[in-house]
Amino acid sequence: MSFRVAVVGATGAVGREILKTLAERNFPVSEVAALASARSAGQQVSFGEDKVLTIQNLDTFDFTGWDIALFSPGASISAVHAPRAGAAGCIVIDNTSQFRMDPDVPLVVPEVNPEAIAQFKKRNIIANPNCSTIQMVVALKPLHDKFKIKRVVVATYQSVSGAGKEGMDELHANTKVHYVNDRNAPQVFQKDIAFNVIPQIDVFMEDGATKEEWKMAVETKKILDPNIAVIATCVRVPVFIGHSEAVHVEFENPITVNEARAALRNAPGVVLQDQRTDGGYITPIECKGEDAVFVSRVRKDPTVENGLAFWCVSDNLRKGAALNAVQIAEVLVAQNMLRARAA
């Protein structure tokens, strides 16, 4: 059996990665539609190694008869078109922030809370979490199951691709002008991103946190456990692809480093690379194009009772976005939640 799949925001970095991931994982498609704005209609995008799709206009696209739509066009566009697709009977997996905290929309990471997917029937929409949240909860899940997490303190080092193609272009442009002792005014980021770090992602909120930091806290609670306290400091760094996180966790129950390593080593979606030698850890450049969340630098945090610290990295365009969305679609197929169609 195979399915009719629409990819919304197909010209963006995540949309292109979704198309690539669908092809690489041999998702059972009978037809794929690549959708974007009217100004992109008529352009072409790749699907797999030898197929090319012509972009169709999202505004006029009829979702009737389509099984699933993978959305990554920006929150304001999803707000308009995701409910329209859902009302037409198409199941939406939305990668924007628009529906994540909607009580009628499940927020899902398949390795963590696949059981929540069944809640999509209220609105025909499933939300993909924030990229920085996804990789953290994948690493936290096996530890929480065994030792029960009380509190998480996390500092992120997030790549510019989290701001889309425009963010990547700005890093490239800023880097070039730095080499000739020139500068160009930042457009995407708040300050120069080349050879710099910026402790602001998204807008500031009344309590002084940024919205990205707020997202990590509330999304972790919704996905993993509402009783977990989370405080995040989210920082943009001059890396093209791959988010990194320094995570400090306080548990209710005693935990040793060896116990933590054992739990992580056997966890779905996690690769433990933790050697206490020079270079015995994973960095963002090494995770590019990989599906896993890589965990390194596992060690005891002696500043709190039952404390643990670790480092994790993941490709934010893959597991942090496209792959997670496709994995949700794969669960829908495996659990017979999609309308099946003959190939």
Side-chain angles (χ1 to χ4, degrees), residues 238-267:
V239 170
F240 281 106
I241 294 174
H243 287 357
S244 305
E245 297 173 351
V247 187
H248 297 257
V249 191
E250 182 181 359
F251 297 88
E252 287 192 8
N253 301 314
I255 180 173
T256 68
V257 170
N258 286 339
E259 288 172 332
R261 284 173 167 167
L264 290 163
R265 189 176 291 113
N266 297 316

Side-chain angles (χ1 to χ4, degrees), residues 43-266:
Q43 295 181 18
Q44 294 187 323
V45 291
S46 297
F47 177 60
E49 292 185 2
D50 52 9
K51 292 184 181 179
V52 175
L53 305 175
T54 299
I55 298 294
Q56 301 180 54
N57 186 354
L58 171 62
D59 292 336
T60 57
F61 187 80
D62 184 1
F63 287 94
T64 303
W66 290 79
D67 296 293
I68 188 167
L70 299 153
F71 269 65
S72 190
S76 62
I77 298 173
S78 284
V80 174
H81 294 285
R84 183 169 72 83
C90 180
I91 301 173
V92 172
I93 301 172
D94 184 57
N95 197 56
T96 77
S97 61
Q98 181 62 36
F99 303 101
R100 290 173 185 161
M101 299 314 298
D102 188 319
D104 292 331
V105 174
L107 185 65
V108 176
V109 178
E111 296 93 337
V112 179
N113 63 334
E115 69 285 349
I117 291 177
Q119 300 169 20
F120 79 88
K121 297 175 183 177
K122 294 178 181 178
R123 298 191 62 184
N124 262 2
I125 299 174
I126 302 165
N128 219 36
N130 189 37
C131 47
S132 52
T133 303
I134 289 174
Q135 71 182 71
M136 186 173 76
V137 297
V138 168
L140 290 179
K141 169 66 173 175
L143 301 174
H144 184 57
D145 284 349
K146 290 181 177 292
F147 307 103
K148 198 166 179 61
I149 295 169
K150 290 173 58 178
R151 179 173 183 254
V152 177
V153 179
V154 56
T156 72
Y157 309 82
Q158 294 178 229
S159 66
V160 295
S161 56
K165 181 179 182 298
E166 295 81 4
M168 299 173 76
D169 289 344
E170 184 153 302
L171 172 58
H172 185 258
N174 283 173
T175 302
K176 286 200 299 183
V177 298
H178 269 267
Y179 278 117
V180 293
N181 294 317
D182 198 358
R183 60 175 300 171
N184 47 10
Q187 302 294 321
V188 177
F189 304 112
Q190 300 82 9
K191 301 194 178 190
D192 283 350
I193 185 61
F195 307 101
N196 198 16
V197 298
I198 303 172
Q200 179 188 351
I201 300 177
D202 214 321
V203 298
F204 277 99
M205 304 179 74
E206 286 189 7
D207 65 354
T210 64
K211 196 168 183 181
E212 184 84 356
E213 293 158 356
W214 172 82
K215 288 175 193 175
M216 290 195 74
V218 296
E219 291 177 14
T220 299
K221 288 174 177 288
K222 184 172 180 178
I223 297 164
L224 195 56
D225 189 330
N227 296 315
I228 295 175
V230 179
I231 184 167
T233 299
C234 294
V235 182
R236 190 73 72 189
V237 298
V239 170
F240 281 106
I241 294 174
H243 287 357
S244 305
E245 297 173 351
V247 187
H248 297 257
V249 191
E250 182 181 359
F251 297 88
E252 287 192 8
N253 301 314
I255 180 173
T256 68
V257 170
N258 286 339
E259 288 172 332
R261 284 173 167 167
L264 290 163
R265 189 176 291 113
N266 297 316

